[in-house]
Amino acid sequence: MNKKQFVVSALIGLALYLISTGLSFGIFKALGVGGAGGILSLRGGTGSGNQDHFLVDPGAPKTESCPINGKLFTKQEREIWEKRRPLAVMIENHAESRPQSGLSSADVVYEAVAEGGITRFMGIFYCGIATPVNLAPVRSARTYYLPWVLEYDALYNHVGGAGRCNDPTVDERAKALCQIEQWDVKDMDQFSISFPTCYRNYDRLDRPVATEHTMVCVTDKLTKLAADRGWTNVDAAGVAWDKDFEQWKFKDDAKEQDRGQSFSASFSAWKGYEREYGVRWDYDRANNVYLRFNGGTAHMDLETNQQLSAKNIVIFFAREIGPVDDHAHLLYNNTGSGQGLLFQDGKVVEITWRKPTRTDRTKFFDASGKEISFNRGQIWIEMLPTGTEVSY
């Protein structure tokens, strides 16, 4: 072959390669395989013997009720979650950290002040993560989230936290790391987890941010690591996570003619923090969902580029104590009982909450003492200091 023939052959080969690569990419993109927003998603594990390779069929009927929020999923998705236990993941809400990743995939989201008027989220991820989800930025543990973690006997993913048992600078009541150990919480502290399960991504956002706003953890890798530690749907002793789990009650959406009119509800956990940490939920009557605004702007999920929304909003009033030490740690009385509000179907209902002990399920009741039934879908629980003004 002369030089000219070699060049021509090389160019033809390169062209064929590019064409085949483009076609493959187009096909896979159309199918959504491996894509964040695709219709189908192929999921693979990282260890030998992994059985989580599967396709989520978009045409399969959604007949299976999620035990955590009642949302309907396919049988394929149920087969996945039944092999696991819930993940409880701390995700921060500092203004520099937004938009967060993964909150739209949570079955339930808890929000409370972490310190200094800045709230923090804890998402419960179980049914909605059949395909892998990036969670970010993951941040540290706080003691008043632990009673909620224990309700699900969940894997608790966080980056460090307040107070080890031997730390004299932290109030005993605020020592979250100590309580994780004492209460036998299934600890997934990032300090014991390496890449690629958790890692710092300094390019996650389109601007530079401080190191504490960069931690990413990946759901399927967390559950694989948990399985390696003996925590699947059962623990090392063979006890299922849901052995004593009490499901909330669920219902279908109200028919459109029975829904309330569109309205907004707004609040800030601490006065003076409205500009960056004020929350507003706008009711979308046609779709019967509440759209979230944070600091005056639409609150987005980086992974989906969609505004966060929820089917049910619970306002949970609890006594706030503190700061209780020089680290500005707070305490909340979220065991016992208290008052609250429920936004659902475009209406506002005054409710009470009860949680007799830290391991008991928190339950919500209307004025007649009847347990609340939630609409099927994401539930967002906003814990606010008793006396916080909520405008609606």
Side-chain angles (χ1 to χ4, degrees), residues 9-271:
S9 297
L11 289 174
I12 293 172
L14 177 61
L16 290 172
Y17 170 78
L18 292 174
I19 291 169
S20 63
T21 301
L23 286 172
S24 298
F25 175 79
I27 292 169
F28 278 91
K29 185 174 181 182
L31 291 175
V33 175
I39 297 173
L40 301 181
S41 185
L42 180 65
R43 182 178 172 280
T46 57
S48 61
N50 179 60
Q51 298 179 359
D52 286 343
H53 294 276
F54 67 95
L55 285 171
V56 175
D57 181 358
K62 297 182 184 297
T63 58
E64 311 306 304
S65 177
C66 175
I68 292 177
N69 67 5
K71 185 176 179 179
L72 298 179
F73 292 86
T74 67
K75 289 183 178 179
Q76 291 172 308
E77 291 166 308
R78 188 198 68 197
E79 289 170 0
I80 296 300
W81 81 55
E82 285 183 336
K83 299 173 186 176
R84 302 173 171 178
R85 66 193 319 114
L87 272 168
V89 184
M90 300 298 290
I91 298 177
E92 69 163 315
N93 191 32
H94 192 285
E96 290 186 13
S97 72
R98 304 172 195 156
Q100 293 89 353
S101 294
L103 284 172
S104 61
S105 297
D107 302 318
V108 179
V109 179
Y110 295 88
E111 181 177 14
V113 172
E115 66 261 323
I118 302 173
T119 63
R120 188 163 297 174
F121 308 116
M122 185 179 78
I124 304 297
F125 298 89
Y126 184 60
C127 301
I129 55 169
T131 53
V133 177
N134 291 331
L135 306 176
V138 181
R139 284 298 294 272
S140 57
R142 291 294 181 270
T143 183
Y144 37 90
Y145 292 89
L146 296 179
W148 292 326
V149 176
L150 291 169
E151 293 187 24
Y152 304 91
D153 196 12
L155 308 167
Y156 189 36
N157 180 221
H158 57 99
V159 181
R164 297 195 179 279
C165 297
N166 60 354
D167 188 345
T169 70
V170 177
D171 186 287
E172 288 294 326
R173 298 166 295 174
K175 290 184 176 181
L177 297 180
C178 184
Q179 292 166 3
I180 287 170
E181 180 181 344
Q182 292 175 335
W183 298 348
D184 198 27
V185 175
K186 292 169 177 61
D187 192 18
M188 301 288 287
D189 191 339
Q190 184 275 324
F191 287 160
S192 68
I193 300 174
S194 60
F195 178 87
T197 303
C198 292
Y199 60 95
R200 293 205 177 275
N201 182 359
Y202 291 92
D203 298 319
R204 191 181 73 87
L205 301 179
D206 60 0
R207 61 189 187 277
V209 296
T211 295
E212 60 265 29
H213 308 313
T214 63
M215 181 59 68
V216 180
C217 294
V218 187
T219 55
D220 66 322
K221 291 178 171 58
L222 287 169
T223 55
K224 172 63 170 62
L225 178 61
D228 292 342
R229 295 180 178 182
W231 300 328
T232 57
N233 60 309
V234 299
D235 61 20
V239 179
W241 75 268
D242 57 352
K243 176 179 179 292
D244 298 315
F245 179 71
E246 295 184 66
Q247 293 188 30
W248 287 326
K249 297 182 182 300
F250 305 111
K251 70 178 190 65
D252 296 328
D253 286 9
K255 294 181 179 179
E256 189 164 358
Q257 64 267 26
D258 297 326
R259 300 171 190 171
Q261 298 301 311
S262 295
F263 79 106
S264 293
S266 58
F267 54 86
S268 178
W270 283 18
K271 288 186 177 180

